[in-house]
Amino acid sequence: MKTLYLLLLLCVVLSGGAGAQIIAEDARGESAIITKNSNVSFNLNEAALAASWNNFRKLAIEKPSQIIWGLSASGNNREGIADLFNGGKLTPQSKVGIFIGLRKSYQTTVLELLKRIREIEDANPDKNETAINAIKLLNRQIEENRSTRHTQSLTTYINAGLNADNFRLYQPEDAPSLPKRFEKVNFRGGFVDIGLNYEYAPRWVFGIALGYERYNNLDSLTLTSYTLKNTTIVNNSELSTESKINAYQGGYMAYNRVNIKTDALYYGRVSSDYRLVWNTLYTRIILPLQEKEINKVFQAGTAINFYKSEGKFAGGLYLQSNDVFNSLHSTDQFHERLSFGIVAKYSFSSIMSRDFAK
C-alpha cells in the first residue's frame, strides 16, 4: 500500500511537472539556503521524496525586517528505485524539520516605494484615476531601480528536527537461531543547524550553515539479500518454505557529528521563457566526534535545475564527490567516488520570476 501511495504521488508530480525547493540541492536533498517555494520533489537516483512549506509567499515585501518560518519532511527507500516500484519491502529513512529565522532587506529605495504603493492602495480602495496613475509612476520607478541596481538581503535562521532509520542488521554471532540473526533496528536521531544566507539579487545567493547531528554509519554498511529456508519433515514427506530478507552487514554504530554546509547559487536566463538555477559549487564537511571509529569526510558537488519563469515545474541534475580526499579509503579511483542523480520538482505556488540587471 505504501508503494502504491508513492507511485500515485510520483504520477501527480510528473504529470503536472515536477520541483522540492526549486534551488539545486546536494544528493541528500539538503542545502544551506532556504527559498520561497513550498513544494515537493522526487529524487530518481535515491528513490527519495521530499516536501516543504513556508510563509515566504505571505511576507509583506515593503517591510525591511520580517520573521520567516517553514516545515519540511523527506523519506527514501534505501534499497533503491527498483524495489520501490516492484513490490519490495521498504527500508525507509525519514526526516522532519522546522526552521525559524529573520530576513532583513537592504533594498531601502524600493522598500520605500513599495510602502508608498501600499499606503495609496489602503487610502483608495476604489482605485480612482489619480491613485492608479500614482501607482503606475511608482511601479516605473521600482522597475528602473531594479534594472540598474542589485538588491541585497540577509537571512539568519535556526533549523531543527528529527531523523529516523528502520532496517534489519545481520548479526552473525550470538544468535540462538538463524531467524534471530536478523535484528530489527529502529534508529532515532536529531539535528540542529544555524545558518546564514546572503542574497545579491538577481543573480547570486550564498549560504553557510553549521550543524550538530545524531546520525549513524548505515551508508558504510553493505546491503545483502538473504534467502531463509525452513524445512518440516512429517513421516516421509518434506515441506519447505523460503523467505527473502534484506539486511545490512558490518559494524553498525550511532554517533554524533558536526556538519558544515556551503552553497553558492547562480540564477540565469536560458531564453525568454526558461531559467536555470546553478549551485556552482557546494561543499559538505562532516566532522564526527568519535574520530577513532568514524572518519572525517569532505564532500563537494555541483547541481543545476531548469524551470519555466512562471511555471511550477523544475527538473535538474547533480554530480557529487562523496569523498573528495578518499578519507574512507573506499577506492583510489576518483570517478568511482562520484554520484550522479536526476531530481524532479513541483512547486505548490508559482515560481517567482527574477528580474535581471542590465
Side-chain angles (χ1 to χ4, degrees), residues 28 31 40 46 51 61 74 99 118 122 125 139 159 189 196 240 262 264 291 294:
R28 292 181 64 192
S31 175
V40 63
E46 299 289 331
I61 57 177
S74 63
F99 75 82
R118 178 65 61 87
D122 292 342
N139 278 325
N159 181 36
L196 181 68
S240 298
T262 67
E291 290 190 25
I294 304 294

Side-chain angles (χ1 to χ4, degrees), residues 15-253:
S15 63
Q21 299 193 54
I22 291 308
I23 64 172
E25 305 107 335
D26 62 20
R28 292 181 64 192
E30 297 181 355
S31 175
I33 296 173
I34 53 178
T35 59
K36 300 178 178 61
N37 303 96
S38 299
N39 36 55
V40 63
S41 72
F42 189 79
N43 185 325
L44 299 177
N45 187 56
E46 299 289 331
L49 285 166
S52 65
W53 187 265
N54 55 55
N55 72 329
F56 278 84
R57 292 291 176 180
K58 296 183 178 180
L59 297 180
I61 57 177
E62 75 275 7
K63 293 183 179 180
S65 299
Q66 296 183 82
I67 298 295
I68 58 172
W69 58 265
L71 307 170
S72 64
S74 63
N76 77 307
N77 170 32
R78 284 183 175 272
E79 295 175 22
I81 188 73
D83 284 324
L84 183 63
F85 294 116
N86 288 329
K89 293 183 179 180
L90 296 178
T91 304
Q93 179 188 48
S94 57
K95 188 173 185 177
V96 295
I98 181 171
F99 75 82
I100 185 169
L102 176 65
R103 181 180 180 88
K104 184 173 178 59
S105 175
Y106 296 95
Q107 190 182 1
T108 55
T109 301
V110 172
L111 289 174
E112 288 298 325
L113 295 173
L114 289 169
K115 184 178 180 180
R116 179 58 183 153
I117 290 175
R118 178 65 61 87
E119 291 173 350
I120 293 174
E121 291 176 338
D122 292 342
N124 301 273
D126 297 331
K127 293 185 178 179
N128 55 49
E129 185 176 355
T130 302
I132 292 175
N133 291 334
I135 291 174
K136 286 182 178 179
L137 177 60
L138 292 170
N139 278 325
R140 284 197 295 269
Q141 294 177 18
I142 291 174
E143 184 178 354
E144 181 181 355
N145 188 280
R146 283 179 167 172
S147 65
T148 56
R149 300 182 184 181
H150 290 283
T151 61
Q152 303 176 61
S153 65
L154 193 65
T155 302
T156 56
Y157 67 88
I158 296 178
N159 181 36
L162 302 172
N163 51 19
D165 274 308
N166 301 287
F167 60 95
R168 289 184 180 272
L169 182 67
Y170 180 71
Q171 301 282 17
E173 300 176 357
D174 301 329
S177 64
L178 284 177
K180 291 187 178 180
R181 290 189 177 186
F182 299 97
E183 177 187 357
K184 290 184 178 180
V185 178
N186 298 313
F187 168 77
R188 299 295 180 266
F191 64 92
V192 60
D193 295 322
I194 299 175
L196 181 68
N197 292 174
Y198 171 67
E199 181 172 1
Y200 189 66
R203 296 289 188 180
W204 289 96
V205 184
F206 304 93
I208 184 170
L210 174 66
Y212 177 85
E213 185 175 21
R214 179 69 173 172
Y215 203 63
N216 60 37
N217 67 334
L218 194 58
D219 291 334
S220 64
L221 304 185
T222 302
L223 178 63
T224 305
S225 180
Y226 297 88
T227 300
L228 183 63
K229 298 181 179 180
N230 293 295
T231 302
T232 302
I233 300 176
V234 178
N235 296 327
N236 295 325
S237 300
E238 183 178 291
L239 179 65
S240 298
T241 60
E242 294 184 358
S243 58
K244 300 291 185 180
I245 302 176
N246 293 323
Y248 288 85
Q249 283 189 3
Y252 170 77
M253 68 174 294

Side-chain angles (χ1 to χ4, degrees), residues 285-301:
I285 303 174
I286 301 170
L287 304 173
L289 301 185
Q290 294 94 333
E291 290 190 25
K292 292 183 179 180
E293 295 87 2
I294 304 294
N295 292 325
K296 295 180 290 186
V297 177
F298 181 85
Q299 301 174 337

